[in-house]
Amino acid sequence: MAMLNVVDVKKSFAGTQAVRGVSFNVEPGELFGVLGPNGAGKTTTIRMILDILRPDSGSIEVLGGPMDESKKNRIGYLPEERGLYRNLKVIDCMVYLATLKGIERNEARKRASAYLERVELGHVAQKKVSELSKGMQQKVQFGTTILHEPDIVIIDEPFEALDPVNTRMVKDLLFDIRREGRAVLMCTHQMHLIEEMCDRIVMFNRGEIVLNGTLRDVRRRFAPNAVWVEGNGSFDNLPGIESVQTENGQVQLNLQAGTSPQSVFQALASRGDTSIDRFEVAIPSLDDIFVRVVNGERGQ
Amino acid sequence: MSKAKWWTIAAHEYAVHAKRKGFLIATFGTPLLLVAIFAAIFAFIAFGDQSNSLGVVDQAGITQKLPATVTITDTLRKDVAVIRFDDENLAKAALSKQEIDGYVVIPSDYLQSGALRGVANEGNLSSDARDRFKDYMQKALISNQPSLNDQRALEPIDQVYNRKPNSAVETSEGQGILLFFAPYLFGIFFFIAVFSSSAYLMTALVEEKESRVMEILATSLRPFELMVGKIVGLGLVGLTQISIWVGTALLAFTIARANIEGMANLTLPTNVLLIGAVMFVPAYLMVAGALGAIGASVSAVQEGQQFSGIISILMISPVWFINMIIENPNGPLALFLSLFPFTAPIVMMQRVALVSVPAWQIGLSVLLLVGMAFVMIWLSARIVRVGMLRYGKRLTLTEIRRALSLGGQHGE
């Protein structure tokens, strides 16, 4: 059973189509990445999944059926536009928001305390939210998203304002959720984190999904049929090479159709005057793919 | 509806707002402030710019049947002694020794001319002194009418007992004053409790939008549950506040009645309290609904306060017409204001204190208020649904109109 199943969903606001027939699904134990430029329809789609907005057409199934009130307690949401009760104590704020997700008060307090200890914020439990740094608030906010142990966690820019140490902490929490067979749907512009963490991705552009699949598949679709080489000696006049580009000491050998990277490697290795420090099949970064997609490319 | 969630919201709102310094100061400070204000008013009336003693030099011989010193009394002002001097030099000496604040000479042709000659250090007799001399002169003139009972002639009205046309229950003059002040005071309590609780609701909604907590709430419960929770929680805050105020007023009244002779026979107009109690909940729901809708429509607390000012002016507007209402409590203006939901509670409390209000008018007034409360809650639930996630700019009239026509559908 898919945790989330979005089928051909459309939504318009005052004549403007914000979401145009979007379909994707998220499976249990999956970290699912959602990419796209600002205004591409990601937040509107998430709000439809959460039943804050209703789609004009299409269907959304959450945890095996249509969204209803009982399922709200099984979803954790960290919105892009986020905030906490600034005048409440950290622990009280977390407990209150957890009780709204159906957790009994004492249990919520226990979980909140344990969470704060885990993310090294135990000492601020009795402080007001407004007294915390932005990074601390972000960790508290993340805690309110997962305190009720939701089956689906939907997070929008979860690493904003976090330093590398805290980013690692939140990543570990997300990996734990995945390990437990729950699902995470993550929106972020930090491509390296998507590359590092996500099993599958969708990319939105102008209300449509323009990419959908595993990271490996997506990258292959945009791979230029080339290899990157670093080393000493000449890389010219190799068989099956269409052209050679050099940038920042890295050489890109663009292959002719039908030429395999292995044959190029063998040809290089057999040359006595050339030493190879690095040989890599050219696969574009998600960052490159993002820019290319936004500029209208769809891949092969 | 999940009872737990709206109740969680209600309990949270109550706990947060009932602990606020502003609430505690208002709740416990208001009775003290009102006591201070009333004390100051009475002190001003009783002691401000009033004569202590006055003098009279009678050259016309019309005060001989009066005692040498006559005490002039007044309901709200202190008693003043008017002392007769045999000649003006004695009066002048008393004035220079500040034994009296001024005196009048009654010239021998007074009965023909009606003129008196006033003498005071400031050059003019105070208005209070003039009032007292007027009383004194009436007493002097009446004392010269032999056929009248002297005592009754000197004190023509000792007490006025009032009653309603079809009632056998009579009220004293003091009771009349109480019947004016009690609804006035309870009206003020009512307005402040209803309006401040509703204003908390509006502020809480706008702050949750401003702080972006609203989006978390939107994914945890339905807008209707959110509104019910907030309205119940903050309604209880208002109820706590008005209970403390009314309780303090009743306690003060009970203590005063037990210890002040003039108040022993006074009874509180329980019908005013009853009307207030019946109308409190629907009035609060009506105003909370209106202010909730405003809170969901605007993007900043300040903006919300501007709009809520219109509601507060509507509610407090009966104060402008208080004289007309008291003069004619069953007149068309009083009737209209006691039926119009936003002014009904305060005006109806005033009317039932003064006259017998027909039961159908009270019934219709409560019915209209309850109806308006439903309309306002319905409106606010619709607007909250659309406006709760609107950040940075307020809803336009077109968007509000669209929200109202959306039915159960979500939209933006």
Side-chain angles (χ1 to χ4, degrees), chain A residues 216-236:
Chain A
R216 188 186 167 88
D217 288 345
V218 168
R219 281 171 143 176
R220 282 191 183 283
R221 280 171 60 187
F222 285 82
N225 194 25
V227 293
W228 291 321
V229 185
E230 279 178 34
N232 295 314
S234 168
F235 299 109
D236 294 334

Side-chain angles (χ1 to χ4, degrees), chain B residues 44-339:
Chain B
F44 181 76
I45 292 169
F47 306 110
D49 195 25
Q50 279 190 27
S51 313
N52 293 309
S53 296
L54 297 168
V56 110
V57 180
D58 181 12
Q59 296 171 348
I62 61 167
T63 66
Q64 298 310 309
K65 289 186 178 166
L66 292 177
T69 298
V70 175
T71 303
I72 306 295
T73 59
D74 186 280
T75 309
L76 291 174
R77 292 179 288 186
K78 65 177 182 177
D79 296 349
V80 171
V82 179
I83 304 159
R84 187 172 58 226
F85 294 94
D86 291 339
D87 63 55
E88 193 171 349
N89 287 334
L90 291 172
K92 208 179 282 179
L95 182 62
S96 67
K97 282 190 252 173
Q98 296 186 328
E99 289 168 358
I100 56 173
D101 298 325
Y103 64 89
V104 288
V105 178
I106 306 170
S108 52
D109 63 347
Y110 164 74
L111 288 174
Q112 289 77 43
S113 68
L116 298 177
R117 290 189 167 73
V119 179
N121 287 329
E122 296 79 16
N124 291 313
L125 289 171
S126 68
S127 64
D128 179 65
R130 281 201 299 274
D131 287 347
R132 306 299 177 133
F133 281 128
K134 189 177 170 191
D135 278 8
Y136 180 83
M137 292 307 291
Q138 280 171 340
K139 287 180 194 295
L141 293 170
I142 290 166
S143 68
N144 288 302
Q145 304 298 315
S147 60
L148 290 172
N149 171 324
D150 283 355
Q151 181 56 33
R152 216 40 320 124
L154 292 173
E155 289 294 344
I157 300 173
D158 184 55
Q159 183 67 268
V160 176
Y161 293 96
N162 302 294
R163 65 178 169 81
K164 293 172 182 173
N166 300 318
S167 170
V169 181
E170 290 184 327
T171 57
S172 65
E173 201 172 351
Q175 184 71 17
I177 293 169
L178 184 69
L179 290 180
F180 168 76
F181 276 113
Y184 195 76
L185 188 68
F186 292 139
I188 291 171
F189 286 170
F190 191 97
F191 169 76
I192 296 175
V194 164
F195 200 79
S196 62
S197 299
S198 305
Y200 286 148
L201 171 76
M202 183 188 75
T203 308
L205 279 174
V206 183
E207 280 176 356
E208 278 166 351
K209 280 172 69 176
E210 280 182 324
S211 69
R212 308 298 194 251
V213 178
M214 189 58 92
E215 193 140 353
I216 305 283
L217 298 179
T219 59
S220 303
L221 68 173
R222 286 180 292 181
F224 185 68
E225 285 177 289
L226 176 71
M227 284 301 285
V228 168
K230 284 190 179 298
I231 285 172
V232 170
L234 294 169
L236 291 174
V237 170
L239 210 56
T240 304
Q241 194 167 50
I242 200 164
S243 302
I244 289 171
W245 289 347
V246 172
T248 308
L250 294 181
L251 184 69
F253 177 76
T254 309
I255 292 170
R257 201 167 57 165
N259 295 290
I260 300 172
E261 196 184 339
M263 290 183 72
N265 295 322
L266 299 187
T267 52
L268 263 184
T270 46
N271 52 353
V272 171
L273 286 174
L274 196 67
I275 288 288
V278 168
M279 287 188 157
F280 183 82
V281 172
Y284 164 68
L285 291 177
M286 175 183 71
V287 179
L291 266 59
I294 291 172
S297 309
V298 301
S299 58
V301 174
Q302 222 171 6
E303 203 178 3
Q305 283 165 348
Q306 288 168 2
F307 286 106
S308 67
I310 297 167
I311 309 286
S312 79
I313 287 171
L314 257 183
M315 280 196 78
I316 205 72
S317 61
V319 172
W320 303 333
F321 307 110
I322 198 80
N323 280 343
M324 283 182 262
I325 293 166
I326 289 170
E327 279 170 18
N328 194 0
N330 277 332
L333 178 71
L335 176 62
F336 171 76
L337 292 176
S338 65
L339 294 179

Side-chain angles (χ1 to χ4, degrees), chain A residues 11 13 47 50-54 69 72-73 77 79 81-85 88 96-97 99-102 141, chain B residues 5 8-9 12-13 16 208 211-213 215-222 225 389 391 408-412:
Chain A
K11 180 75 184 175
F13 299 115
R47 285 180 175 177
L50 293 163
D51 201 33
I52 299 172
L53 298 173
R54 292 261 167 86
E69 287 304 307
K72 284 189 172 175
N73 290 353
Y77 179 43
E81 295 277 7
R82 53 179 156 257
L84 297 161
Y85 291 99
L88 286 189
Y96 173 54
L97 292 174
T99 53
L100 289 179
K101 287 290 189 182
Q141 183 100 48
Chain B
K5 285 193 179 177
T8 302
I9 295 265
H12 170 77
E13 293 295 341
V16 167
E208 278 166 351
S211 69
R212 308 298 194 251
V213 178
E215 193 140 353
I216 305 283
L217 298 179
T219 59
S220 303
L221 68 173
R222 286 180 292 181
E225 285 177 289
L389 298 181
Y391 309 127
Q409 288 292 306
H410 298 238
E412 198 171 77

